[in-house]
């Protein structure tokens, strides 16, 4: 499976299917990714992004799925703790410590809880934490789903920063950590290198820093 970091929280998993998580990048479009399936972690604009315009089968929490269906998107609703399989790709919805309002003109919409996903395809497993603070049940995610890779936010302010993400990485135990949700804007500026150095010095985990547009091949 190829993992491509398109930027911010947006990641494309390319294997037997193309799965696009959180279809938003700053100042551009992710339409050229041409995903088979879209997954949305929560209702904030920097995650819901182009989900409506892409108009692909979209996995999201029931509240967001309802919002998308009303706009004609073939959404698949689910909720935290549940699993669905689409086209041979399985999605476990995991908790996230965050909010989830769908910001739109007027009062907006309730987007339900924020979430993350463990996505399994072609025999490998990827955990995308979504936007979240640190929580100890990340240990359960590690124990139950044994992700090979964890995509963890490190930007701070709206999510974990590097210190919390360092503990999150150890809770989850995925061999490879890819930092996300940083350097998109001034408020979430982080240097990922001290994070990488600290983890690699003190654990047997590896941090793969991807520039927006960069890819990494996960062997199954
Ligand atoms: Ni958010
Ligand atoms: Mn966000």
């Amino acid at each position: 499976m190829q993992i491509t970091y398109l930027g911010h929280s947006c990641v494309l998993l390319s294997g037997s299917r193309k799965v696009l998580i959180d279809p938003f990048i700053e100042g551009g479009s992710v339409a050229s990714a041409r995903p088979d399936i879209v997954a949305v972690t929560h209702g904030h604009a920097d995650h819901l992004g182009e989900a409506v315009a892409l108009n692909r089968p979209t996995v999201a929490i029931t509240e967001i799925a309802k919002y998308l269906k009303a706009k004609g998107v073939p959404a698949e609703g689910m909720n935290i703790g549940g699993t669905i399989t689409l086209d041979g790709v399985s999605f476990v919805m995991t908790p996230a410590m965050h909010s989830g309002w769908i910001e739109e003109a007027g009062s907006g919409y309730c987007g339900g809880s924020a979430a993350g996903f463990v996505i399994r395809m072609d025999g490998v497993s990827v955990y995308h934490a979504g936007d979240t603070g640190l929580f100890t049940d990340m240990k359960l995610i590690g124990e139950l789903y044994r992700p090979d890779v964890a995509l963890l936010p490190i930007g701070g302010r709206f999510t974990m920063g590097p210190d919390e993400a360092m503990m999150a990485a150890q809770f989850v135990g995925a061999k490879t950590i890819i930092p996300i949700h940083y350097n998109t804007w001034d408020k979430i500026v982080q240097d990922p290198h001290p994070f990488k150095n600290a983890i690699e010095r003190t654990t047997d985990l590896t941090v793969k820093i991807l520039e927006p547009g960069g890819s990494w091949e996960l062997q199954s």
Side-chain angles (χ1 to χ4, degrees), residues 42 44 46-47 98 131:
H42 65 291
H44 293 159
D46 59 318
H47 299 261
H98 193 69
D131 279 2

Side-chain angles (χ1 to χ4, degrees), residues 83-92 117-121 126:
T83 303
I84 67 167
T85 301
L86 285 184
D87 244 1
V89 184
S90 87
F91 298 81
V92 180
F117 290 105
V118 175
I119 300 172
R120 284 180 280 201
M121 173 168 66
V126 176

Side-chain angles (χ1 to χ4, degrees), residues 11-201:
V11 177
L12 179 67
L13 309 180
S14 306
S16 53
R17 295 288 180 275
K18 288 171 87 176
V19 178
L20 185 64
I21 310 154
D22 284 353
F24 167 91
I25 55 170
E26 177 62 27
S29 170
V30 295
S32 62
R34 300 190 162 279
D36 299 301
I37 306 168
V38 173
V40 174
T41 61
H42 65 291
H44 293 159
D46 59 318
H47 299 261
L48 190 55
E50 294 175 73
V52 173
L54 286 167
N55 198 23
R56 301 301 300 158
T58 301
V59 179
I61 204 159
T62 47
E63 287 84 353
I64 293 174
K66 188 176 175 187
Y67 168 87
L68 290 172
K69 280 185 209 163
K71 294 186 180 280
V73 178
E76 293 282 348
M78 65 184 303
N79 217 314
I80 290 167
T83 303
I84 67 167
T85 301
L86 285 184
D87 244 1
V89 184
S90 87
F91 298 81
V92 180
M93 184 168 274
T94 59
M97 296 287 281
H98 193 69
S99 56
W101 197 255
I102 300 171
E103 300 132 354
E104 216 173 71
S107 55
Y109 298 91
C110 172
S113 297
F117 290 105
V118 175
I119 300 172
R120 284 180 280 201
M121 173 168 66
D122 304 341
V124 290
S125 173
V126 176
Y127 171 47
H128 186 300
D131 279 2
T132 188
L134 178 66
F135 57 95
T136 52
D137 281 0
M138 285 178 175
K139 288 181 187 174
L140 289 178
I141 294 169
E143 270 179 46
L144 264 169
Y145 308 117
R146 304 254 166 229
D148 299 291
V149 178
L151 305 158
L152 301 177
I154 65 159
R157 183 156 178 156
F158 306 105
T159 67
M160 298 187 286
D163 291 347
E164 295 82 9
M166 208 179 143
M167 187 153 277
Q170 292 170 79
F171 282 170
V172 174
K175 261 188 137 156
T176 304
I177 309 298
I178 299 175
I180 60 172
H181 210 275
Y182 67 102
N183 290 352
T184 318
W185 305 294
D186 293 348
K187 286 174 180 169
I188 54 171
V189 167
Q190 296 290 346
D191 179 355
H193 294 94
F195 170 72
K196 174 182 169 74
N197 295 341
I199 288 192
E200 294 184 350
R201 199 174 56 238

